[in-house]
Amino acid sequence: RFRFIANGCPPEQVALMEQFAAGRPDRVVDVTVASVDDMIAHARELAPHECCGLLAGTGGVVSRIYRIKNIVAMEGAQNLSSFDSAKAAHLERLSPDERAEIAFVMDMQDFSTAKKDMRNNSLDLQVVYHSHPHDPARPSVTDIKIATDYEEIWPKINLPIPAYLLISLMHATPDVRSYWIKSGEVSAAPFTVQ
């Protein structure tokens, strides 16, 4: 029924993902090959900087990708997100290029344009994606903190809580994985590629 991207997951984890999907089909995201290729291309284009974007669709099926500008390289951008004080202080000490290699802050104008397009086309936010040019495709401590902080924000801006997809460029073959992040807890988010 589903083709999971297991990327080296042990069989018991794949079995858990299948069990999860069977009981919660609304929580499985279907992504097109073209969308995956576009996200990987986006990550490669911006490397060594992190890319970021959104995937939208209906009923768990992604039909549109939105590339969002990463503005963390702009002066003061580290103060525009909910980075903890230690992370913000660390980012302040780095050059703009160095900041963009280890963090992202979505441009709110791009985000608002994407949100408006979703609303005009009756689409729902499905996934927030970003790249890790030098690190594994798993959420960092900062990723988990920001996703947890946004749990309260998504409903206030009339968007569902999304899955989080990460693209790692550590190796020649990109590693793409998705996660649910809730209350600081991370779990694999099954997705299929059509």
Side-chain angles (χ1 to χ4, degrees), residues 8-182:
C9 288
E12 59 274 9
Q13 186 173 359
V14 173
L16 281 173
M17 288 173 18
E18 289 172 343
Q19 189 177 46
F20 178 80
R24 298 288 307 273
D26 59 313
R27 301 289 283 181
V28 178
V29 178
D30 289 324
V31 184
T32 64
V33 171
S35 293
V36 172
D37 289 346
D38 194 10
M39 288 184 292
I40 291 170
H42 189 198
R44 286 179 168 154
E45 288 164 19
L46 293 185
H49 300 160
E50 288 192 6
C51 76
C52 53
L54 308 170
L55 301 178
T58 56
V61 178
V62 169
S63 58
R64 189 150 311 158
I65 183 171
Y66 300 95
R67 290 181 174 201
I68 307 292
K69 187 184 316 166
N70 178 0
I71 62 165
V72 80
M74 294 172 51
E75 287 304 320
Q78 67 275 9
N79 300 319
L80 298 176
S81 188
S82 55
F83 294 126
D84 62 44
S85 58
K87 178 76 170 192
H90 175 66
L91 291 172
E92 270 182 24
R93 291 189 293 270
L94 301 176
S95 73
D97 269 355
E98 290 169 327
R99 283 199 303 269
E101 287 183 28
I102 62 165
F104 75 94
V105 174
M106 289 189 178
D107 178 78
M108 280 301 104
Q109 184 172 349
D110 285 359
F111 183 90
S112 295
T113 300
K115 183 180 173 212
K116 183 177 179 180
D117 185 76
M118 285 181 227
R119 186 176 56 245
N120 290 341
N121 290 287
S122 300
L123 301 174
D124 294 318
L125 176 64
Q126 305 286 320
V127 173
V128 171
Y129 76 88
H130 75 280
S131 63
H132 282 179
H134 311 290
D135 295 308
R138 64 175 176 254
S140 67
V141 171
T142 299
D143 294 337
I144 295 165
K145 181 198 179 305
I146 291 171
T148 301
D149 290 348
Y150 265 78
E151 283 178 44
E152 293 180 12
I153 296 171
W154 295 118
K156 291 177 183 174
I157 59 174
N158 298 314
L159 290 171
I161 295 174
Y164 294 88
L165 188 141
L166 288 103
I167 304 130
S168 172
L169 300 178
M170 279 180 62
H171 305 290
T173 301
D175 186 15
V176 180
R177 298 178 189 235
S178 62
Y179 302 90
W180 296 113
I181 302 173
K182 180 145 179 65

